[in-house]
Every structure is written in structure tokens, then in C-alpha cells.
Amino acid sequence: MTAQATTPSAAAHAGGSYLEHGRGLRSWLLTFDHKRIGLMYLGAIVLFVLLGGVFALALRLNLWSPGGGLVSNDAYNKLFTLHGAVMIFLFVIPGIPAALGNFVVPLQLGAKDLAFPRVNLLSFWLFVGGAIFFVGTLVVGGIDTGWTLYPPYSLEESRGLGILLALSGVFLLGFSSILTGVNFIATIHRMRAPGMGWFDLPLFLWALYATGIIQIIATPVLGITVALGFMERVFHLGLFMPEYGGDPVLFQHFFWFYSHPAVYIMILPAMGIVSEVVSVFSRKPIFGYRFIAMSSIAIAVIGFLVWGHHMFVSGQSAWASLIFSFLTLLVAIPSAIKTFNWLATMYKGAIVLATPMIYVLTFFAIFGVGGLTGLFLGTLATDVPLHDTYFVVAHFHFVMVGAVMTAFLAGLHYWWPKMTGRMYDERIGSLSAWVTFLGFNLTFIPQFFAGVAGMPRRYATYAAQFTGHNRLSTLGAFILASGLLVALYGLLASLRTGRRAPANPWGAASLEWSAASPPSFHNFDEDPRGVRPYDFGGLVHVSDEAGWVREGAR
Amino acid sequence: VTRPPLEAVHALLAGAPGFMPARASSAAAGVDQVFAFIFWVSAFFLALIVALTVVFVVRYRRRPGRTEAEVTPDHDNRLELLWSIIPLALVMGMFVMSTRAYLHLTQPEGSTSPPLKVSVTGKRWSWWFDHPNGKGAPELHLVKDRPTELVLASTDVIHSLYVPEFRLKQDAVPGRFTRMIFTPTLAGTYPILCTEYCGTDHSRMLAQVVVHPDQPSYDAWAREGLEAGASLVEIGKKVFAQRGCAACHSLDGTRRVGPTVKGIWGHQVKLADGTTVKVDEEYLRESILKPAAKVVAGFPNVMPPAALPERDLQGIVAYLQSLGETP
């Protein structure tokens, strides 16, 4: 145990934390420090969530009445395209790995930094570059293709310059994501603390390792696809456009070969956070470590083989559809293993209802609904009527917004003291968790019913029978937004008024909690040795100021 | 009135939960049965997850007198295998049920009356339906209990034809034909919606399908009013003549440079590479756009590709079909 951990006074190490190491803008923008890069990602991602959220509220307001009316159909189509593209490419995909992962990975490994710090900085700036292209798309009037960019619609001349900027943006963002994946995989292989075997890794790292595999195998296909789309539009190669001799369904295959595994790029890190939090706040070792670790890898592998379930009604052969349906349903098994293992971890625990744990408890319900409704869409017969209706919208929001954002907020609150050295206010944190949960369900549960009754997605106007569904949804969206603003307020307020955080405020056992809060520039003052990440034996709560200390620590 | 539990379970599985649209096609009952099965399995597991979460939080909450967790095993392979195998068995059950329903809804069933074949064209932002007697209309007319085959095409971008009451949906993809086979089972008028995003007025690309209670009612509709423009067969006949197709492809069975088009519809033809292919919409489209792809055995590969517009392709297909199927 380091000296800081037993020293409640933050002043003792204030001079040495990574936040004070180097001053001025340059020391941030050109830093190789994984912790600062993580914080910069976090700042950028929060900005984009706010942007995407404003688009979402505008959409919901327009859907208050069946005839629309707030904005034109064209404007509505641009809004939902930008809402989807910004949320997916600039928040959900990079969110947990790039912001939280960047900060946490080396700390959990007991390392000084990632394996390739310069590559890490490059990946951040590629992300910024991609984001600038997206903003450029907005400046030239936006695009109305949907985030899925299906040709022929997306590659028609009349889509203008916006689509070329968007394709370029996605290309850069793809590279950013690949580099993050490469970095994490190399780091987890090569930079584990002495004595830390593969099965001593915290499960968050197993999740990010599985994510890294998907990032480096699937994301290049996205890059190639958008590059081909760009060339098709400019040089008329005849790949995707029937008028030049191409096949639009080919694009769908390429696109989903990336974009379905991308769903697991989003959800696997979320599951990793849940595994950490549920164990720490139940004060019990995670139940079935190996099954959880291996189920992350299983999801990554099976996830490559299911893309065709997005194309059941595209005209692909019945046999292809049957095989894709079969493989898709298999994803249910590793997901079920994880869920029951999390629940078993809570069994006979000593459950602490701190904010991260409340978020995780709501995650169980939300991921339950999101995962189980996936069965309706993976099953061929029921997908035919449900495909491209609001049922799909509700399903993927449950997985991508509900589950991923809830886990992101759980992780953010969990590691916030480590990142900033400040404790957030528990009352504000738990209030935000419950308001978010309420608003989320009110927004998206009615959409399942609208979808089953036959309301298609991407509709600026709709039949009067769906008015009730849509109004509930709109009300819910504003409650959801206020929940998120409460969370943001609580975290930002803690920077001014929050109590100083001890090294180990939660009594967690993994290595990042043996570094100071916030850590020094080099993370650890002496090289740590591997520990068993879920062994809470001997950890004793000294006081709120001093946090938890391991008995008999050196 | 109380129902015995088994009867209630049976009713739940046979019927859908009460928030679904009417069932108006041969596909609907099978789809709803699969839906109900997944619905109740999901409801059970969701209830289980939520109940366990709540019970554990209430019972095992950290409080004075319960500061530490009890010691329990940190894994149990048999238990974990159990909760791997039960979901596996359930999803395999879903797959089997779904496959039966899906094959039923994609394959035409044995029926006495010939199928009603309608050519469907999606374009921004409307649908057009060419019915077999040559009547084109902006709405689809079908007959209750008469097998139906829709052949979908698009003149611009991808659209998707969706009728919630039929539980069916099929994309219309430019550059190819797609197909939807079913039998309407309930007379009435139902909405047709476009479910593949296609631009500005995607949400207003609406039409309706009228399922007539019997054939005479349909026939009366088919006779009434003016025909909107030329029928597909007429278009095809005209294009066939204008393009000079008959120079190589005779209409009367005579052998010329290319094979005759008389009575080839539905026929299996032998190709130069030894395989056989059935003459259908897709084969004819390919043979016009890419003649070298599948050359009939015994004929030279000399036909130039003809880049016909979508409407003309549909016309040629309808025209060749009108020349009669294999006797």
C-alpha cells in the first residue's frame, strides 16, 4: 500500500498528481499521458452527447402530433440522421473504451501508460478530425441519408457535398477506433504487472480485450466500405449503384459486417463495467470469473457471424436468412451467462447502494429488456413484420442508450474519484440514476407497442392511432434528459465542492485503487505486483476521509 | 369464469398478446404463435431478473450487523452450465418454431386456384400495382383465400412494402426483382407502408390493399373505370418490337441466332456450362442486362447487353410470360 492511501490529506500529493504535471493548453493537447487523453476524450464525448441529445429532443417534439409541424420533413430526416450518426460514431462507440478505458486500462494493469502512447494521441486527434468532418457536414446543410447510409439513396448526386464529408469523417473515426483497439490489445498482452496472469485481469480488461479484437478485425471493413462509397459517388465505379451496374445489397453486407459487431464494441465494455461494479458493491468476489471472461470472447467471435439478420427482408436467400437467424440466437447464451453470474454475485453479499451500483441495478432491467427483445428480431418469422418498425428503434435504444449509457454513467461515477480526486454527492448521483431510469422507460417502452402495431421507423409523420405512444415517448425523453443533466451537474459541482477522494473510496481490490486519487503522472510510485482483483478479504473501512485500507499492508 | 391454467397457457400461446393488428394473411397465425412464445419466455426471464435483483438488494443490503458478505463459492460449473443450457434449449425451440413458420410463409402452398400475380413498383413516393388483367392502380387489390404473388421492383432507391395486418414485409430493390408469396385470409382494407427510408416523403409513401371477399367482387373492380396508361404486356410488346429483339429471338418457335421466346416461361433450360436454369423474372432480367452471364446451350454468346429502364424490363417480363408457359 502506498503512502498516499493512508494519508487523508490531499495536500500531501496535490503537487504530484497528473493534473498538475505540466500546465498550459499545450501540456494537454500534445500529452502522451493516457489519463489526460482519457479526460480529453471524456470532455469531447460529453459535448457530443449534448449535441445528439438536442437533436433527439427536437425529433421528439416534432413527433408530438401525427402531422409533424415543428420542422419540415426534410429537416426531420436530417435531424434523425445527425442524431444517429453523432450518437453512434461520436459517443457510443468511443465512449467507454476511449474515455474510461484510456484512463483505467494502464492503472488496472499496474502499468505506467499504454503500450503506444504516441499512437494513443494520434487516435485522439483522428477522432477530433472525424468529428470536424461531421461538423462540416452540418455546416454544408446536413445529410438526410440515415446513419446507415444505404445506397442508392445515399450516393445520388443530389445528396451534395454533405455525404462526402460524412464518409470522410467515418473513415477517420474508424482509424481512431482501430488504433485504440491495437493499443489496448498490445498493452494487455505486454504490460501486465509482474505476477498478473490472464485470469488475474479485472473483467473490464477482458471486455476491452474482446472489444479490441472486434475493433481491429471489423473496423477496417467499415473504412474500406466508406472509401468505396466515396469512390462510387465520385468515379462511378459500379459497386453499389444499379445505374452504374452495382448492387446496393452488397453495400448492406459490407456495412453490417462492421456495424453489427460494432454493437458489441458498444455493449462489451459496458458489461465489463457492470462486472467490476457489481462485485465491489456487493463486497463479494465476482461469481464465475472464467465463464464471464470467456463469454466476452464468445460474444466477440459469434458477433462476426450474424450481420445478415439486418437483411432478412432485403431479398437475400431464405437459407442465408435461416443460418444468420440461428447464429444470432446463439448470442443469447453468453449474455444469459453474464446476467445470471452478476445476479449470483449479489447473492448473500453486503450490497452498498452507492450511485454506481444503482446504475448497475437499473442496467439489469434495461439490459434484460434490450437483450430479450433482441430474440424477436433474431428470430426470422417475427423479424419480418417487426423489421424497420419502432420495435427495432426501441430495442436498440434499450441496448445502446439504456444499457451502454447506464453502464457508462456507472463507470463514470465509479472512477470519478480516481480521475478527479473528488467525491461526487451521493444524493445527486442516486437521484440522477432513478430519474434517468424512469425517463428512459417512459420514452422507449411505448415504442415497442407502436412497433408491434405497425409504426415504421424514420417517419416524420404518422397515423393518428400512434399519437398516444408518441406523446408518452416525448414526455419520457424530457425526463431522461433532465436525469442526465442532474448527473452532469452532480459531477461538475463535485469539482468545486466535492470532498477530497481517498485512494480507495469503495473498498475495491483491483490495482487502480492502490494508486493515489488522482494518480501521479507515473501512476504508481513503486512498481505494483499483480493482485487478485476480486479478493476483498482484509480490506477495512477506516473513515470516509481515509477510505479503505488493506489490513497488514506494508 | 375461471379457466384451468393449462387452457390459459394454451390460449396465450395460440393467440398473440392483445396489442397486435388483425390477422389478415396466411403468414399471420404462424408469426403470432412464434411471437407469443418468445413474448412469454421473455416475460418470465425479465420477471426473474427483476425479482432476484429486488429480493437480493432488500435481503442482503449492507447495514449495521451485515457489514461483510457471507462466504459463498466463487463459481459453480454445474450451475453455470445449467444456465447456459436452458437458454440454449429455449432459443433452439424459437428457431425451430420460427423456421417452420418462415418456410410456410415463403413457399406457395398447394392450392386449386392459380396465384394472383401482381407487379409492384415502388418509386419516390408512391406505389403502383399492375394487376394481371392489365389494370394498373395506385392501390393493391387481392382476393380473400386466393394465393397471391407480388413481384416487386423499384425505379429509384430501395423501398419496402409492409402490411402490418399481413405480418409481411419485403424490400423493393432497384436492379432486381424480389417476391412476396402469401394468401390473404380476411376481407378488408389495410394500410400499405414504406419501411425502407427513401427520402423526404418516406413517411407519406402510403397506399392501401383491398382484400375482396370473393372473385366476382375483384372482377367487378378490375373491369370498372379507365385503365391508367398501357398495361405491362403492352409495354413489353412495344419494347420487344422497337428494340428489334425478334430479329434473333423468334415469337413462333423458329430457331434463329438466339433461342425462341415462345413458351419459355417457367421452362428449365440447359446452359452452355452444363447447368440448368429456370426461366423466371430474375433470369430474364439478367439475360437482357448481362447476356453473357448464362448462355443457353447450343447458341453463340453474341448478344449485346441492353440497358433497359426498369419499366421496360417489367414489360418484357410480362410480355414473355403472356406468350404462354411450357405446355
Side-chain angles (χ1 to χ4, degrees):
Chain A
M1 186 81 341
T2 57
Q4 284 88 342
T6 49
T7 314
S9 152
H13 63 271
S17 100
Y18 78 100
L19 293 168
E20 280 91 18
H21 186 91
R23 293 187 182 277
L25 202 56
R26 217 182 128 85
S27 76
W28 281 86
L29 298 183
L30 297 178
T31 182
F32 297 142
D33 182 359
H34 69 98
K35 301 182 288 300
R36 286 193 167 192
I37 294 174
L39 280 197
M40 290 196 292
Y41 265 120
L42 184 62
I45 281 161
V46 168
L47 279 183
F48 291 123
V49 172
L50 293 175
L51 183 66
V54 169
F55 292 145
L57 293 178
L59 292 170
R60 288 301 341 156
L61 278 178
N62 194 57
L63 291 171
W64 182 259
S65 52
L70 181 70
V71 296
S72 68
N73 274 14
D74 266 328
Y76 179 90
N77 295 341
K78 287 176 178 172
L79 280 169
F80 81 67
T81 301
L82 289 162
H83 164 69
V86 165
M87 285 298 201
I88 288 174
F89 290 115
L90 300 177
F91 167 58
V92 190
I93 288 177
I96 296 175
L100 299 178
N102 243 316
F103 191 93
V104 172
V105 168
L107 285 165
Q108 285 198 327
L109 288 169
K112 286 191 172 67
D113 208 314
L114 288 172
F116 310 116
R118 286 177 170 78
V119 172
N120 197 23
L121 183 64
L122 174 63
S123 128
F124 174 75
W125 284 108
L126 285 171
F127 173 81
V128 173
I132 289 172
F133 272 102
F134 270 46
V135 174
T137 307
L138 265 174
V139 170
V140 300
I143 50 168
D144 68 340
T145 60
W147 82 276
T148 47
L149 303 169
Y150 277 13
Y153 188 77
S154 63
L155 298 179
E156 290 177 326
E157 299 291 336
S158 46
R159 295 293 86 69
L161 183 61
I163 182 70
L164 295 179
L165 293 174
L167 290 171
S168 312
V170 172
F171 189 78
L172 291 181
L173 293 169
F175 266 95
S176 167
S177 181
I178 294 168
L179 294 179
T180 301
V182 168
N183 222 340
F184 284 1
I185 286 185
T187 307
I188 293 169
H189 268 276
R190 304 298 305 162
M191 301 187 64
R192 300 195 301 277
M196 182 185 277
W198 280 93
F199 289 107
D200 300 324
L201 288 177
L203 286 164
F204 184 56
L205 296 183
W206 271 106
L208 286 180
Y209 187 83
T211 308
I213 294 175
I214 304 174
Q215 284 173 310
I216 61 180
I217 297 179
T219 315
V221 178
L222 175 73
I224 293 164
T225 307
V226 296
L228 290 175
F230 192 101
M231 290 193 278
E232 175 80 346
R233 164 66 193 278
V234 177
F235 302 116
H236 302 179
L237 299 183
L239 294 161
F240 305 133
M241 297 290 280
E243 58 176 306
Y244 316 136
D247 181 358
V249 177
L250 178 67
F251 177 90
Q252 296 181 23
H253 279 288
F254 285 176
F255 180 81
W256 290 114
F257 185 85
Y258 165 76
S259 292
H260 195 79
V263 174
Y264 304 112
I265 293 180
M266 307 169 195
I267 194 69
L268 280 170
M271 292 168 157
I273 290 175
V274 171
S275 299
E276 299 294 301
V277 169
V278 76
S279 172
V280 169
F281 292 90
S282 301
R283 313 290 322 136
K284 263 188 66 191
I286 190 86
F287 182 83
Y289 176 99
R290 284 175 191 243
F291 268 70
I292 294 185
M294 287 306 130
S295 62
S296 285
I297 304 294
I299 288 175
V301 172
I302 303 170
F304 278 110
L305 308 173
V306 302
W307 78 90
H309 68 220
H310 293 268
M311 300 165 58
F312 285 159
V313 298
S314 69
Q316 79 182 356
S317 84
W319 284 109
S321 292
L322 285 172
I323 292 167
F324 280 123
S325 174
F326 179 83
L327 292 166
T328 301
L329 290 170
L330 292 183
V331 180
I333 288 107
S335 307
I337 292 174
K338 280 182 190 274
T339 304
F340 287 114
N341 281 16
W342 290 326
L343 291 171
T345 304
M346 288 164 61
Y347 175 68
K348 293 193 173 177
I351 297 167
V352 184
L353 287 181
T355 303
M357 188 62 173
I358 297 174
Y359 272 113
V360 163
L361 296 175
T362 65
F363 174 97
F364 292 153
I366 290 173
F367 179 68
V369 174
L372 290 164
T373 51
L375 294 171
F376 293 86
L377 301 173
T379 303
L380 197 43
T382 40
D383 179 70
V384 171
L386 296 176
H387 178 80
D388 273 346
T389 67
Y390 259 83
F391 191 92
V392 176
V393 176
H395 160 71
F396 73 69
H397 278 90
F398 260 85
V399 179
M400 283 155 53
V401 183
V404 176
M405 194 186 265
T406 301
F408 175 77
L409 287 166
L412 189 59
H413 283 87
Y414 177 60
W415 283 303
W416 186 258
K418 186 58 60 186
M419 298 169 100
T420 63
R422 298 285 184 163
M423 299 304 291
Y424 60 86
D425 186 324
E426 279 294 348
R427 286 164 310 172
I428 300 181
S430 47
L431 176 71
S432 77
W434 290 119
V435 173
T436 304
F437 181 62
L438 174 75
F440 179 81
N441 283 300
L442 187 59
T443 309
F444 293 105
I445 287 177
Q447 297 185 2
F448 283 119
F449 290 88
V452 170
M455 179 170 167
R457 66 191 284 204
R458 296 175 168 177
Y459 263 31
T461 55
Y462 55 87
Q465 70 178 107
F466 299 112
T467 313
H469 303 90
N470 279 286
R471 291 197 171 169
L472 284 177
S473 223
T474 302
L475 287 175
F478 280 88
I479 297 175
L480 173 57
S482 48
L484 296 175
L485 288 178
V486 170
L488 184 64
Y489 167 77
L491 292 172
L492 290 180
S494 78
L495 294 179
R496 280 186 168 279
T497 60
R499 169 164 75 68
R500 299 270 174 194
N504 191 353
W506 311 125
S510 48
L511 274 179
E512 75 268 33
W513 302 103
S514 65
S517 296
S520 66
F521 176 68
H522 292 295
N523 292 350
F524 299 93
D525 295 332
E526 47 191 277
D527 289 340
R529 291 194 53 81
V531 293
R532 289 170 58 206
Y534 302 107
D535 176 12
F536 303 112
L539 278 164
V540 184
H541 188 238
V542 177
S543 67
D544 281 351
E545 288 71 31
W548 294 66
V549 175
R550 203 176 277 279
E551 269 179 343
R554 282 162 287 155
Chain B
V1 182
T2 54
R3 280 178 155 210
L6 263 181
E7 204 177 312
V9 168
H10 185 77
L12 291 175
L13 276 181
F19 44 78
M20 324 233 351
R23 286 184 210 157
S25 88
S26 52
V31 167
D32 284 4
Q33 202 168 15
V34 183
F35 187 98
F37 178 62
I38 305 175
F39 180 84
W40 292 112
V41 167
S42 302
F44 170 77
F45 277 98
L46 183 64
L48 183 69
I49 292 168
V50 173
L52 287 176
T53 307
V54 171
V55 168
F56 288 175
V57 167
V58 170
R59 285 194 61 172
Y60 306 127
R61 193 164 168 193
R62 191 163 187 265
R63 54 190 180 256
R66 189 181 182 85
T67 51
E68 285 306 316
E70 296 169 44
V71 176
T72 51
D74 67 357
H75 73 287
D76 184 334
N77 286 345
R78 278 201 299 196
L79 198 58
E80 291 172 79
L81 278 176
L82 182 73
W83 60 54
S84 313
I85 289 166
I86 290 175
L88 179 67
L90 285 169
V91 298
M92 286 306 104
M94 288 169 199
F95 179 73
V96 170
M97 278 180 84
S98 148
T99 302
R100 274 172 37 200
Y102 182 75
L103 291 180
H104 178 72
L105 70 87
T106 51
Q107 247 118 73
E109 52 221 286
S111 172
T112 46
S113 44
L116 182 65
K117 196 161 177 174
V118 181
S119 210
V120 181
T121 310
K123 62 174 194 285
R124 277 177 283 198
W125 289 280
S126 62
W127 295 101
W128 188 255
F129 303 93
D130 289 291
H131 295 79
N133 63 342
K135 180 157 176 171
E139 57 185 25
L140 176 61
H141 284 253
L142 303 174
V143 185
K144 177 176 175 292
D145 295 331
R146 178 155 176 207
T148 300
E149 182 175 354
L150 306 183
V151 178
L152 294 93
S154 164
T155 59
D156 40 44
V157 298
I158 303 177
H159 303 281
S160 192
L161 183 113
Y162 175 41
V163 181
E165 283 77 5
F166 289 171
R167 306 286 190 279
L168 287 172
K169 180 181 290 128
Q170 177 62 56
D171 286 2
V173 183
R176 66 165 70 174
F177 291 113
T178 52
R179 219 179 273 270
M180 198 160 147
I181 297 166
F182 62 98
T183 306
T185 54
L186 190 64
T189 302
Y190 312 107
I192 290 175
L193 305 146
C194 177
T195 45
E196 185 62 66
Y197 174 70
C198 57
T200 308
D201 275 340
H202 168 56
S203 67
R204 297 196 178 108
M205 186 168 163
L206 308 170
Q208 55 183 16
V209 48
V210 178
V211 177
H212 291 269
D214 49 34
Q215 189 67 37
S217 162
Y218 171 86
D219 291 339
W221 168 80
R223 277 193 303 272
E224 83 189 13
L226 294 166
E227 289 187 8
S231 75
L232 278 179
V233 174
E234 285 163 2
I235 291 173
K237 189 172 184 179
K238 200 167 112 201
V239 173
F240 199 85
Q242 281 173 347
R243 292 270 174 172
C245 306
C248 301
H249 302 285
S250 75
L251 289 162
D252 56 5
T254 320
R255 185 187 165 99
R256 297 201 185 129
V257 176
T260 179
V261 291
K262 184 189 175 197
I264 57 168
W265 182 260
H267 189 63
Q268 294 281 349
V269 285
K270 204 164 164 53
L271 301 181
D273 64 4
T275 58
T276 58
V277 67
K278 185 179 172 197
V279 178
D280 59 7
E281 292 90 347
E282 209 47 67
Y283 172 71
L284 289 176
R285 169 196 287 281
E286 187 181 42
S287 299
I288 295 165
L289 299 176
K290 295 179 199 159
K294 294 191 179 111
V295 180
V296 178
F299 291 92
N301 175 15
V302 294
M303 176 169 157
L308 297 183
E310 192 59 40
R311 191 84 186 143
D312 291 358
L313 283 171
Q314 286 175 307
I316 296 268
V317 167
Y319 176 54
L320 296 190
Q321 199 175 343
S322 76
L323 296 177
E325 308 207 356
T326 312

